[in-house]
Amino acid sequence: MRLPTLVALSPAFARRLLPGRVRVRLTLLYGVLFVASGVVLLAITNLLVARSPANLVLVKDRAGEPVLAPDADGRLYLGYPEANSSVHLNDITQQLREQALRQHEVEMDHLLVQSGIALAIMAVLSIALGWLIAGRVLHPLRTMTGTIQRISARNMHERLAVIGPADELKDLADTVDGLLGRLETALDSHKRFVANAAHELRTPLTLEHALLEESLIDRDATRESFRSNFERLLDISKQQARLLESLLTLSSSERGLDHREPFDLGDIAEEIVEVSRPETRRRGLRVETTIGPAVASGDSALVERLVANLIDNATDYNTPGGHVEITTRTEAGRAVVRVANTGPEVPPEQVERLFEPFQRLGRVAGDGHHGLGLSIVRAIATAHDAVIAAHARPGGGLVVEISFPPRTDPLQQPPGIAQLDDASTIR
């Protein structure tokens, strides 16, 4: 009844029997391989010796003449050459042959015993040498392990920096160094993001506290002043809600995609343009659209936020009477969306900084912008393996072009792709 239980536990029991140190396992492996090779070598040697042909050894007398000699007919006779007597050697040769076979067996046994003793001695030596070689092989690994254990968030800049031939251990060390570099970059970005987010959230909280405190300590406050303070508090609360929503979108975008589905950038851009029409009209902006089919795959909701952020950024950071250009197209199999806008002068060296969280030009307190729009665009593009190309527009403004990778699976163009007329204008 206990046999199945023992059989089921045998793998775990076998794992417990294995040594826990790699050096011990390598030493045992080297020793077993050497012993196995020695056994095979001895077996081959004994087989070759056992099959070797026997040679006839002639015994000579005191004068140096053979005792065992052939006669004229080729038969063997025993005796001295000067003796006239002769004896037929058939029986004697048979006895000599049997004696030679017995002697050969004794020599083979002796050879086997001596070889076994030599193999046992060399097995002990091989284990000792295997222990030394295993320690030599594992020394770089122990060094790398110690260095990695010392690295923490405070000294993330340290690297293994292994120097040596381009072997597997060097490749492993370089891979770990690359991983540490990426972790350092992500940690620095996380620290900056947390600091900026804390600052952005602290400002409206401080303002809310001041408004509430003003309403409490002002004994001459009227209904209108209370109403004004409450309206400002409501606006601040809406800004915080938008900020938290943006932070959640940014966080979900940086995690990557949970699913992929086909979408058309033309449809998405057309929908966003229609939604933003009242705001562009209020600002007196001219919107020029060239909408073409641009099919890609990914999370359509995130891509919709990407296009909306691009258009919002082009609308909010524009000049009165300016214009916005929106283009979608397919180029070399890649779906491309391009948004260009007029606006304030943007230094070329500051373009990359605009895609960092909470970074924006012309920072104005209470303007309702948190500097997360373009950072969300970059996070969504990165999650879709898209390429972002941005540059300052001559005369002011910004041009952002995002190219999505081509689909790897065949996809028929979705029916009913709606297009706006080329150079259509929203006033």
Side-chain angles (χ1 to χ4, degrees), residues 245-246 249-250 252-253 257 263-266 268-269 272-273 296-315 326-328 335-339 355 372-389 400-405:
E245 182 182 359
S246 299
T249 303
L250 181 61
S252 62
S253 302
L257 299 181
F263 61 84
D264 189 275
L265 283 173
I268 294 176
I272 300 301
V273 167
S297 64
D299 191 324
S300 59
L302 289 178
V303 175
E304 183 176 349
R305 172 59 67 90
L306 178 146
V307 177
N309 282 7
L310 287 177
I311 296 178
D312 289 344
N313 184 78
T315 302
I326 304 169
T327 303
T328 61
V336 180
V337 57
R338 180 180 183 272
V339 177
F355 288 86
L372 288 173
L374 291 182
S375 62
I376 292 175
V377 168
R378 186 179 65 175
I380 296 175
T382 302
H384 287 80
D385 297 325
V387 178
I388 300 179
V400 180
E401 182 174 289
I402 300 179
S403 175
F404 289 83

